[in-house]
Amino acid sequence: TVHGEAKIVPMRTAPGFHIEPRDPDPRGLPVKACDGRVAGTIVDLWVDRSEPQVRYYEVQLAGAERRVLLPAAFVQ
């Protein structure tokens, strides 16, 4: 940001950001690949602090210690 802060951050570190109570919370939901296999689980949302929207889903990969960021535009 113009103030030297990171613009896109995990929701867990962004006070004031939350999921609207009437909307489903995707954390804990499986992420399926195009072949229908579960690739991982959503563990957090990365938000754009300059705009009220989710930019990435943080995904814990199935069977691995690794986490990756999945762009929100790639999610169906």
Side-chain angles (χ1 to χ4, degrees), residues 11-12 18-19 24-29 41-45 57:
M11 191 177 287
R12 66 181 173 265
H18 64 279
I19 300 294
D25 188 342
R27 291 172 285 194
L29 293 178
T41 304
I42 298 173
V43 293
D44 205 358
L45 311 173
Y57 294 92

Side-chain angles (χ1 to χ4, degrees), residues 21-36:
R22 294 173 289 183
D23 288 337
D25 188 342
R27 291 172 285 194
L29 293 178
V31 174
K32 291 185 180 179
C34 292
D35 62 4

Side-chain angles (χ1 to χ4, degrees), residues 6 8-17 27 44-47 49:
I8 300 174
V9 297
M11 191 177 287
R12 66 181 173 265
T13 66
F17 282 84
R27 291 172 285 194
D44 205 358
L45 311 173
W46 285 56
V47 295
R49 289 201 271 194

